[in-house]
Amino acid sequence: DSTINKVEIKSDQFSQEVELGSSASFELSLELFSGTSDTFKLETINLPGQINRYFVSPGTDTRLSYFKFTESTSTKKASLKVFLPDRASESIVTGEAIKFFALAIPQNRVNEINLDASKEYTEEEIIDLNVGYVKLHLVPRGTGKLLVKAQQLFFSINSGDRVEVPIELVNEGTKALNNVEIKVDLPLNWTHLIEPKTIVRLNVSEEKRTIISIMPSPDVAAGRYEVRVTTTSLSDAQIIRGEDKTINIEIKAETNLLGMIIII
């Protein structure tokens, strides 16, 4: 009924899961039911202030505040883009849905309605405003990010010595990491020991140390050798890999003391 002076808003992707630090786009379909107004303002309410948002025109990414229907067109398309911060907060909790609204307000009623950005509106209050709206859901998701640090990756040793390499593991993501495991790819007949080999849990911003002890084979020849270190973990059943590290080990040639004495 054109006398209601509203724009009906629909969205097929009304509920989306989005990782912290990334963005989402809600595609909106707008249909005019008005015989008096043809210009409307797009607004969002109940989104936390840390979440940046704006409306754009599809295909051009031109930002929209107001949009106008023509005599020949009673339908429009628009996109609502939302940008989540890198970290969770009191109002943005991973796994908990944020319920908010997108509104289309007739231009001649913008001053009358005067929405309060600090207030959380109920759906009943939105209905009482007598404007077109759509209810949307945004579920923030966190993910772990494994940082692998090693202060020293080159060692020069004598045959029969061992190498001890401290490795620092840091969770730089937004969700805890589980079962952080280190694997070492060694030259033939070399052995190693990792303590601890597996870290059961690494919380957000937490740092833990592990020590890799590497023992070359007893009959190793002099020269340079590479040892590759890989790290894996789990975050919500998703495999998270850390950056591979390569340890370079130089086995020094043995000095023939008796030969040197004879030469001298």
Side-chain angles (χ1 to χ4, degrees):
D1 184 351
S2 63
T3 62
I4 64 173
N5 195 25
K6 281 185 182 180
V7 167
E8 184 181 36
I9 310 178
K10 294 180 180 178
S11 177
D12 292 335
Q13 312 114 335
F14 64 90
S15 181
Q16 296 188 43
E17 295 186 3
V18 187
E19 289 186 5
L20 290 171
S22 61
S23 63
S25 181
F26 293 88
E27 304 302 320
L28 306 177
S29 176
L30 314 167
E31 186 174 2
L32 177 65
F33 291 93
S34 173
T36 57
S37 298
D38 60 5
T39 303
F40 293 79
K41 184 180 183 182
L42 290 171
E43 287 277 10
T44 60
I45 55 172
N46 291 3
L47 269 178
Q50 305 97 306
I51 298 179
N52 292 326
R53 83 299 303 260
Y54 55 79
F55 295 91
V56 297
S57 177
T60 65
D61 277 351
T62 303
R63 294 198 186 191
L64 294 174
S65 293
Y66 288 86
F67 65 97
K68 184 175 183 178
F69 292 94
T70 63
E71 292 182 2
S72 59
T73 305
S74 62
T75 60
K76 290 274 190 181
K77 297 287 185 182
S79 296
L80 170 61
K81 293 186 178 293
V82 293
F83 301 84
L84 269 69
D86 295 332
R87 298 288 179 183
S89 64
E90 190 175 313
S91 56
I92 302 174
V93 181
T94 55
E96 292 187 10
I98 299 172
K99 300 175 182 178
F100 65 103
F101 301 89
L103 282 63
I105 304 172
Q107 185 179 23
N108 59 1
R109 296 190 60 208
V110 170
N111 293 332
E112 168 200 336
I113 292 176
N114 192 23
L115 295 171
D116 184 355
S118 63
K119 177 182 175 180
E120 184 166 344
Y121 290 81
T122 65
E123 189 164 3
E124 289 72 22
E125 289 175 309
I126 301 298
I127 294 172
D128 290 341
L129 294 176
N130 194 30
V131 297
Y133 75 93
V134 62
K135 188 176 183 179
L136 304 172
H137 289 181
L138 183 65
V139 183
R141 289 292 182 193
T143 184
K145 183 179 179 182
L146 184 58
L147 175 66
V148 183
K149 299 190 296 184
Q151 290 187 351
Q152 184 178 349
L153 291 172
F154 175 78
F155 299 86
S156 182
I157 62 173
N158 295 314
S159 178
D161 293 342
R162 69 162 60 190
V163 171
E164 289 194 349
V165 187
I167 299 290
E168 307 292 339
L169 302 171
V170 187
N171 183 358
E172 284 196 323
T174 54
K175 195 174 183 65
L177 292 170
N178 298 311
N179 297 325
V180 182
E181 186 175 9
I182 296 177
K183 293 183 179 180
V184 177
D185 186 14
L186 295 168
L188 186 65
N189 296 327
W190 288 34
T191 58
H192 75 287
L193 179 67
I194 303 175
E195 185 60 39
K197 185 176 182 180
T198 302
I199 296 173
V200 177
R201 185 177 178 88
L202 196 62
N203 293 317
V204 175
S205 300
E206 187 176 12
E207 180 174 338
K208 289 189 177 180
R209 169 177 284 199
T210 186
I211 305 292
I212 304 175
S213 300
I214 302 171
M215 289 74 74
S217 60
D219 57 350
V220 66
R224 287 197 176 190
Y225 298 85
E226 290 187 350
V227 176
R228 188 176 174 217
V229 178
T230 59
T231 50
T232 58
S233 59
L234 292 173
S235 179
D236 276 347
Q238 178 185 2
I239 296 176
I240 305 295
R241 302 183 186 278
E243 181 185 3
D244 292 352
K245 298 292 182 182
T246 300
I247 302 170
N248 292 279
I249 299 175
E250 179 188 50
I251 306 296
K252 292 184 285 189
E254 293 185 0
T255 304
N256 190 331
L257 295 178
L258 178 61
M260 289 182 64
I261 292 172
I262 293 173
I263 291 172
I264 292 169

